[in-house]
Amino acid sequence: MKKTLLLTAVLAIATMAFAQTPVYLDNSKPINDRVEDALSRMTLQEKINMVHAQSKFSSPGVPRLGIPEVWCTDGPHGIRTEVLWDEWEQAGWTNDSITAFPALTCLAATWDPEMSLLYGKSIGEEARFRNKTVLLGPGVNIYRTPLNGRNFEYMGEDPYLSSRMVVPYIQGVQSNGVATCVKHYALNNNELNRNNTNPILDERTLREIYLPAFKAAIQEAGSWTIMCAYNLYGGKWLSENDYLLNQVLKKEWGFDGVVISDWGAVHNTEGTVTGGLDLEYGSWTNGLTTGASNAYANYFLADPYKKLIQEGKVGTDELNDKCRRILRLIFRTGMNPNRPFGSINSEAHISAARTIGDNGIVLLKNDAPAKKAPKLLPIDLNKTKKILVVGENAIKMMTVGGGSSSLKAQHEVLPLDGIKARIGNAAEVVYQRGYVGDASGEYNGVVTGQDLSDTRTAQQLIADAVNEAKTADLVIFIGGLNKSNHQDAEGADREQLALPYNQDAVISALAAANKNLAVVIISGNAVEMPWVKSVPAIVQDWYLGSEAGNSLADVLLGDVNPSGKLPFTYYATLDQVGAHVEGEYPGHENPNIFMEAFGRKIPVYDMPYNEGLFVGYRYIDKNKLQPTFPFGHGLSYTTFTYGKASIDKKEVTADGKVTVTIPVTNSGSREGKEVVQVYVQDVQSALVRPQKELKAFKKVTLKPGETKNVSFTLDKSALSYYDDTKKQWVAEPGTFNVLVGASSKDIKSTVSFELK
Ligand code: BGC
């Protein structure tokens, strides 16, 4: 007996001494070897478990092998509050409030990749601290119509601008060992019927307008995951779209990460197995995001998938591929021993939120309210003793609401509070409501706690504001849209371009009562401005998160010189929008394709994008229209003078490069930043091309009187269009003009060269 025991002990010690770390746990081994090793140890059931959710936001790893779960979080403006295991409702934790960063429209409006890196690094740290594997963002769907309720979560209308801005965000997040999930791939350009819209567009438009930002996110930034959209393309749901997922994303672009479904975007098992999706989230048993009860084993990629395999109807190649990708994700994130710990609500994050806001606010207009008077902004406290602030958005919390990007921020500085805090005793600041918009403030159980109810009639609200305006030295109206349904919010589109809640009447009445009126629009979308001529100063503010009021005060008071530029066209009416004039919106019923839900057939809407390439300023240029403010527009408290652009050569070959240089001078009296924009024009081409397209930009800081020579190098990619007959990018020989300017409508200098 004693002998046996001794032998067992000796054997155990020997085994321990010779036991090697399994390859999948050995960080020194190449990641693909670790993936293969882990995969070889997994059972069929473990593999099936890995490819679908186990809760609202998580999916299992392999507990038996010590491989951790995947935890996702929205995204993209801050880390979402913890929700209940099976529900959207918040779990009621008290330690999950975070820093709310500015909305992505603001980030795009900075036109500054450094801001994007700061954003990504900061939000990534918060995600890491909250122990998340995947941040569900950033969003890069193109701003096709100003009615899209979710434009505030995206980066504007231009494929080049959004490509340049998305890459550093992803690099910043992923430097924390947290994956980004770039979304919503692809063509989710409206919220109306988002589950059942089938955009119809040619391959060239797809490649030139709607895919570049996704491609940059995958190929340049290396996003470890991507989210497929709800809608269809080519009559096939994105969750099973062989063309976009397998052919383009995985084969052509070489994506080695995970395709995650949007929540409830999966519709069936067989198509999804082969269609390129890797990980199913958010399905109820009927495939929709709402239902009475759900059972994760009933997910399309759960028991039904296993059954197909066991019956021999599908093989295991696809399953292995999905698991390989998910394992790779886990090794890059949760099992990366070198990832930092992260932090939350740090001073650095709060300051990052404020800086990004400071750099993204756009000064749309700044005139003198009277002859010989100085420009209205920045506010001169030596001459301003009474300031009237009017408008619901001055006092409304905006971090709560809007859909999945809704946040539980640890603090939110409201615009009125930011202005008051900055002004202190230097002037009297009074407030009037002006209009009542949406007094509610709740999302999935997170409440603002604000009581914004007001029982005055619309006329009374205006009369009270006008009365106060008569004795004020300056009136600041702070309105715009909000995060309520049919405004800037997920799940529905806006119903009009005009401002809601009677705001036009309030603004016009204020303009008549006091010529010193500044209008601040808080929104993620363009709005109609019928009063534009009677208001001397207009500021485009965004949803700025935790530091909203401080950033706005920074700009209004001139502590910060505004430097944001519009990432989308500020249309005067919907008649200036290609999607509404030439394209279809919201589309028409397709007679053959249906969506099955709630036991009935729901129609699918074909939505022809007949405007083709002519989105945003491309449509404005083509039709010589005058929007209220053009793409790329934004003023400063100083002035910039552009000299003549020069070019280093007059002729280039297709693999060559040209460098264009332009001197830009700060001709005003204070330091400022200017975004110098370069548009390329192909003078003659075999296929129709937009009149000009943004192909480079730089944000430069200039002291008063200082001149900098700003240079841009253009290569073949800046000259090419996608030829869908050849299925490749083509740079056609001939003359190209390079237009350098301060906005898409303010071209300062043009140079030309020949492509040989
Ligand atoms: C949204 C996604 C979001 C997901 C999870 C979906 O409804 O479209 O953007 O990440 O929900 O909240």
Side-chain angles (χ1 to χ4, degrees), residues 3 59 308 365 386 493 522 646 692 699 707 717 744:
K3 253 190 185 169
S59 50
L308 286 186
K365 179 176 179 186
K386 178 178 171 183
D493 281 349
I522 296 181
S646 60
K692 63 175 186 295
K699 195 164 194 174
T707 299
S717 66
S744 62

Side-chain angles (χ1 to χ4, degrees), residues 658-708:
V658 278
T659 298
V660 175
T661 304
I662 190 158
V664 182
T665 305
N666 182 342
S667 42
S669 56
R670 58 172 295 175
E671 186 174 305
K673 293 185 204 172
E674 170 71 331
V675 179
V676 185
Q677 302 162 39
V678 173
Y679 297 85
V680 170
Q681 183 174 56
D682 190 353
V683 174
Q684 242 183 351
S685 68
L687 301 185
V688 176
R689 298 192 70 174
Q691 219 172 77
K692 63 175 186 295
E693 295 184 276
L694 181 76
K695 292 297 171 185
F697 61 86
K698 254 183 211 164
K699 195 164 194 174
V700 285
T701 306
L702 292 165
K703 297 209 164 57
E706 190 185 8
T707 299
K708 273 184 187 161

